[in-house]
Amino acid sequence: HVAPMLRRYGAAVVVGCIDENKQQGMAVSRERKLAVAERSYELLTRKYDIPARDLIFDPLVFPVGTGDVNYIGSAVETIEGLRAIKSRFPECKTILGISNVSFGLPPAGREVLNGVFLYHCTKAGLDYAIINTERLERYPSIPEEERRLAEDLLENRGADPVAAFAAHFRDRVKTVTPRETLPLDERLARYIVEGSRDGLLEDLDAKLREAAPLAIINGPLMRGMDEVGRLFNDNQLIVAEVLQSAEAMKAAVAHLEPHMEKAESATRGVMVLATVKGDVHDIGKNLVEIIFGNNGYRVINLGIKVPPEDLIAAYHTHKPDAFGLSGLLVKSAQQMVVTAQDLKAAGIEIPLFVGGAALTKKFTATRIAAEYGGVTLYAKDAMDGLDLANQLFSAVTRDRLVERVRAEQAALARGAAAADAPRPATPPVRATAVVPRVDPSVPPDLEAHVLRNVPLAQIYPYLNLQMLYGKHLGLRGLVSRLLADGDPKARELHEVVETLKAEAVRDHLLRADGVYRWFRARAEGETLRLFGPDAREVGRFTFPRQSAGERLCLTDYVRDDLDDYIALFVVTCGIGVRERAQAWKEQGAYLRSHALQALAIESAEAFAEMLHARLRTLWGFPDPPELPIEDKLKARYRGLRVSFGYPACPELADQATLWRLLRPEQIGVQLTEGFMMDPEASVSALVFHHPAAKYFKAE
Ligand code: B12
């Protein structure tokens, strides 16, 4: 299945030395590694005609220090297996995940063992290594004694090389010097890195006796923020901690400001930041503002739904060094193209930073950069944006960055042009995976329902913690497991989130409102017709059909021969959130401000999940009582909930019909000209009852 695709697209492939052998699938000995590689080579090059240069063999690395008898001495087998494969197939490449070798050993020892192992693998012919270069001792700087211990372990020399190695490194923890004993400058940087304000102001006063405020900001404080960036990129800090560091920075700068001359400014550059026309996305843009604003940039945040003419006016008023554009949806990415054209027509050429969930590097290269006069930079997140800005605004790195970005974008544009060969148009045909006809489920009524001030306690159980803690607050790993294991970062975040949840109830920080209604419906090809209680058509939606595979279309889930039913709803948890988050942000309470917006958007999603479950019950097919909420969040229930803008119903303009049918204005939700819902923390949905309904991508 995979090999013909590799051939078709000209892809390279990583070939692990694993076969179907039941006892010993993963090859450990050098002989088996070579044998599996030889067999794979034969199959892939002869049978499937994949060029040898596209094969990358992974001879596999096993942990040598966990005490697992199967892997004692396995490191030398990997090195020798690699050497054998490389000399047998010199035109192929090799790859290894290096640090697996040291799994289970003391951290200081791991860095040494990884360094020594990498060195020997490279000498044996390794082409690619997967390794964290920031956690690696370089071979030449490893002391003789430690090198010997590592080599004994890798080659399994001596009576018990694991014990000898572990004993040497066990107590060598990287010692953390208590803050008080550090020199003043290092202490100042440490407050920022730790996001702590305990003693910060006193130390700033002490420093003010010997240095000017601007020098303190640009010196130790900024060094702290640079370290925060480095630790974030090295996965050692999470978003929530970066926000706490920014809070400490903000407090420090606020303390120093009264001592500064009016004209003095600590800026690396000025950025005018905005969410594009038609888009209400606030949370991502605000993160960018906080990160840039506390790393030496002056950020002028123009807010949401900003048309190009406002950006052009801001250019003349503020004379910025760069623009930053944000947007959540694909439509907003298209709006960025229009904005870039308008800026260009106005003769503006300052660097343009762009970002957002639905934006990609490729779209930036082929569509936005192509329309703009100046350099256009895509940032995958706020820290990435900061890193790019720092390179751009430093005379030393600027040219190299611009050259790299332009070359990358040119390559992407060339690739896109080559891939853009016109595809034969396939006429829509009915589903090949025939969707069974089921009896319509009759809903309890066809009235419009308005839910006001739904208790948050009914919604919170449906919160997706992986999204809240992981995606928005940055916790890495499986959140449920980290919480169950009492992971310190997870515990700390739990504290923040739970406090905020309780506050949201007590102080009415969030309110939940919704509208829903069932409609009589009938499918007609790819069109879904909706009828009012008097059987008159009240609206219709046309959905795309998959052009290949199962050729599904959402209308397959609705009867075309008799009256069937679907439900529509809009929910929000966003009323008043933007204003409150803004006020907290201005006070420097960055983590709280961000956490409130994150809780609001995830509560909107949770509300949608909760309301959907309630509709299933009212509709006559309640979930089994024992079905846990985690399973509901994985859509393990009867029926399907989709939203306009999703892959099966991508046409966002259909939101306008939904608006006409449900009138969500009555719960305070407006539709923007980009068909987004204002406030941001809102979700709209179509609900199908068909038991075989499932998620699919139509285009
Ligand atoms: C969480 C989420 C939601 C949340 C919150 C949305 C939000 N404001 O973030 C809720 C549940 C409210 C939601 C609703 C909707 N969503 Co939604 N949502 C997502 C999801 C899963 C993650 C988005 C996210 O991470 N947000 C958090 C913020 C902080 O991240 P961010 O915006 O990406 O910002 C970071 C970077 O992008 C970058 N950045 C952003 N801007 C800038 C600017 C500059 C200058 C720089 C340097 C960097 C930068 O830095 C930020 C911080 O690090 C994505 C899918 C995905 N995996 O990306 C879908 C997604 C964006 N949603 C989608 C859709 C369709 C919708 C709805 C229209 C569905 C509906 N009909 O109800 C609504 C629209 C809401 C509205 N108000 O109109 C689609 C969009 C596709 C499309 N057609 O455009 C996606 C891609 C899902 C999908 N695959 O279909 N959604």
Side-chain angles (χ1 to χ4, degrees), residues 25-213:
M26 294 194 287
V28 179
S29 72
R30 64 189 81 178
E31 294 80 16
R32 252 183 64 69
K33 289 182 199 287
L34 181 62
V36 177
E38 282 175 335
R39 204 176 136 214
S40 312
Y41 182 93
E42 281 299 304
L43 257 174
L44 292 166
T45 60
R46 302 241 192 283
K47 181 163 176 198
Y48 293 104
D49 204 21
I50 294 172
R53 62 166 188 279
D54 285 344
L55 306 187
I56 306 167
F57 286 108
D58 182 344
L60 310 184
V61 177
F62 302 99
V64 290
T66 56
D68 187 331
V69 287
N70 295 313
Y71 300 142
I72 291 177
S74 66
V76 68
E77 294 303 310
T78 296
I79 298 169
E80 293 313 318
L82 173 83
R83 200 187 311 278
I85 293 171
K86 195 65 197 174
S87 61
R88 175 92 174 75
F89 306 117
E91 72 280 34
C92 298
K93 297 273 189 272
T94 52
I95 189 168
L96 286 175
I98 294 295
S99 54
N100 204 26
V101 77
S102 62
F103 181 76
L105 289 164
R110 291 195 69 174
E111 298 185 6
V112 168
L113 193 70
N114 294 347
V116 175
F117 185 53
L118 177 63
Y119 173 78
H120 288 291
C121 291
T122 312
K123 288 191 69 170
L126 182 66
D127 296 294
Y128 304 122
I130 305 170
I131 180 102
N132 181 348
T133 51
E134 300 213 2
R135 294 284 182 79
L136 187 69
E137 282 292 343
R138 286 177 316 148
Y139 187 78
S141 49
I142 299 172
E144 191 59 42
E145 156 78 349
E146 296 186 353
R147 243 190 243 176
R148 190 186 52 73
L149 282 165
E151 279 159 359
D152 283 352
L153 180 51
L154 294 173
E155 293 189 19
N156 193 27
R157 288 190 300 233
D160 192 349
V162 180
F165 186 87
H168 181 86
F169 287 102
R170 183 160 303 123
D171 302 323
R172 182 118 76 70
V173 273
K174 285 196 169 154
T175 45
V176 181
T177 333
R179 203 194 288 136
E180 314 76 65
T181 61
L182 292 171
L184 184 54
D185 275 9
E186 280 185 41
R187 276 211 305 274
L188 288 170
R190 185 75 82 82
Y191 289 114
I192 305 299
V193 174
E194 291 173 358
S196 139
R197 277 173 274 180
D198 226 9
L200 169 67
L201 303 188
E202 294 77 0
D203 273 352
L204 281 173
D205 289 337
K207 186 70 190 171
L208 270 173
R209 288 195 277 280
E210 58 182 71

Side-chain angles (χ1 to χ4, degrees), residues 410-641:
L412 282 167
R414 276 196 305 275
D420 266 356
R423 273 192 246 155
T426 34
V429 278
R430 274 202 75 81
T432 48
V434 181
V435 179
R437 281 200 163 142
V438 295
D439 287 342
S441 286
V442 183
D445 63 50
L446 298 171
E447 316 286 308
H449 295 267
V450 181
L451 305 170
R452 292 190 198 280
N453 235 333
V454 175
L456 294 173
Q458 294 177 12
I459 292 174
Y460 284 159
Y462 287 85
L463 277 172
N464 183 332
L465 300 187
Q466 189 63 38
M467 283 298 289
L468 185 55
Y469 287 72
K471 178 101 188 167
H472 299 299
L473 297 171
L475 190 64
R476 296 190 178 91
L478 191 63
V479 170
S480 53
R481 178 156 331 130
L482 293 168
L483 284 170
D485 292 352
D487 171 85
K489 282 194 189 190
R491 268 215 316 255
E492 208 179 304
L493 282 187
H494 188 65
E495 187 71 42
V496 172
V497 170
E498 287 304 314
T499 310
L500 192 61
K501 277 166 66 183
E503 248 181 280
V505 175
R506 195 191 60 216
D507 303 338
H508 312 290
L509 303 181
L510 297 181
R511 59 170 285 157
D513 302 283
V515 278
Y516 71 90
R517 185 169 187 173
W518 276 280
F519 288 87
R520 227 188 290 277
R522 205 179 264 228
E524 203 176 277
E526 283 72 41
T527 298
L528 182 68
R529 302 174 64 203
L530 305 185
F531 304 93
D534 57 1
R536 264 217 317 263
E537 181 174 315
V538 290
R540 51 170 63 199
F541 302 116
T542 299
F543 304 113
R545 183 173 289 288
Q546 290 179 307
S547 57
E550 294 177 291
R551 295 187 186 275
L552 286 169
C553 172
L554 282 176
T555 49
D556 298 345
Y557 301 136
V558 179
R559 295 286 289 248
D560 57 0
D561 54 339
L562 46 87
D563 274 359
D564 205 339
Y565 299 91
I566 64 141
L568 300 180
F569 71 68
V570 172
V571 293
T572 187
C573 288
I575 307 285
V577 169
R578 190 160 50 233
E579 296 72 14
R580 194 176 306 268
Q582 162 97 6
W584 286 356
K585 175 157 63 71
E586 276 162 16
Q587 291 159 16
Y590 297 138
L591 179 54
R592 259 165 82 69
S593 170
H594 176 66
L596 178 67
Q597 288 201 302
L599 181 64
I601 56 183
E602 287 311 316
S603 294
E605 185 63 31
F607 188 4
E609 200 68 65
M610 181 276 252
L611 179 57
H612 185 191
R614 200 184 273 185
L615 295 186
R616 291 193 295 276
T617 305
L618 294 167
W619 213 335
F621 47 94
D623 300 335
E626 67 282 1
L627 188 76
I629 287 193
E630 297 82 73
D631 281 8
K632 297 187 197 216
L633 298 185
K634 290 183 190 137
R636 293 195 179 130
Y637 43 65
R638 172 173 162 180
L640 176 72
R641 180 178 83 252

